[in-house]
Amino acid sequence: AEKDGKLEVAITAYEAALKASPDYLDAHKNLAAAYKEKNNLPQAILHLEAVAKAEPNNADYWNAIGALAMSSRDYPKAVPAFEKANGLKPKDAKLMLALADAYKNARQNARAVETYKKVIAADPKNAEFRETRGIILAKSGKTRQAITDLESAMGAFPDRPRIHEELVDVLAR
């Protein structure tokens, strides 16, 4: 039904299947996808959480929950989901970056900076990570560290005005 664009019919069918069998993971997965398609992110998250709780060692489910929570600006929900995903795949730079971004958006700057350090250690040539960490450091009053990161990012992205603006602001302090 969902392939024909009839999401309501699909949702009704999957909800009925869950009433008959509450642990039916495929119904939860399909409901999560249908609700995401309808942009009902809280319901999508709810059904993905049911799947993740049944398969707690699958980092992809926790990552998907975190991504949906970030999309709906529910940062308090995104942080623990990304923490679980990162705990399952601690060397995955993309998951570390998602966690760092969640910390940043949740205004947990110290944790964001520490996680960006891990991201940079995992991918030392990625100047975008340095740029983002430099901005957070600047906002946290850590001027010297911010300058180092922003200068490194500026070397890699000389035409990116945001880096120049941030560096000028930090140097003016």
Side-chain angles (χ1 to χ4, degrees):
E2 67 219 72
K3 290 180 182 168
D4 296 330
K6 298 178 182 171
L7 285 177
E8 292 304 322
V9 173
I11 288 170
T12 301
Y14 293 131
E15 292 286 358
L18 283 179
K19 283 183 183 170
S21 181
D23 296 328
Y24 182 34
L25 295 183
D26 284 340
H28 282 294
K29 290 176 191 176
N30 290 328
L31 279 166
Y35 281 122
K36 180 181 177 211
E37 182 73 24
K38 287 186 63 156
N39 205 30
N40 185 339
L41 300 182
Q43 280 297 320
I45 291 168
L46 180 76
H47 288 285
L48 267 180
E49 285 176 331
V51 176
K53 287 176 184 167
E55 298 181 27
N57 294 324
N58 188 321
D60 294 335
Y61 294 136
W62 295 110
N63 182 48
I65 291 166
L68 288 173
M70 289 287 283
S71 293
S72 64
R73 300 182 192 274
D74 187 351
Y75 308 124
K77 187 174 285 285
V79 166
F82 284 133
E83 285 175 336
K84 287 178 184 170
N86 195 55
L88 293 166
K89 290 185 176 179
K91 296 195 186 304
D92 187 320
K94 288 182 182 180
L95 289 179
M96 281 187 259
L97 180 60
L99 177 58
D101 288 343
Y103 283 143
K104 178 182 79 172
N105 285 307
R107 294 186 170 29
Q108 296 180 25
N109 290 340
R111 287 177 139 183
V113 167
E114 287 305 310
T115 306
Y116 278 116
K117 283 181 186 175
K118 292 176 185 175
V119 172
I120 291 167
D123 190 358
K125 294 183 181 183
N126 193 318
E128 280 190 64
F129 301 160
R130 291 185 184 281
E131 174 190 357
T132 304
R133 186 177 73 169
I135 292 167
I136 293 170
L137 287 166
K139 290 179 181 176
S140 300
K142 297 181 179 173
T143 307
R144 200 168 289 180
Q145 292 170 295
I147 291 169
T148 300
D149 277 354
L150 291 170
E151 285 177 340
S152 171
M154 194 168 58
F157 299 114
D159 298 328
R160 190 175 282 182
R162 180 175 144 195
I163 301 171
H164 293 278
E165 292 165 8
E166 287 292 336
L167 187 55
V168 167
D169 285 348
V170 171
L171 291 170
R173 293 181 189 162

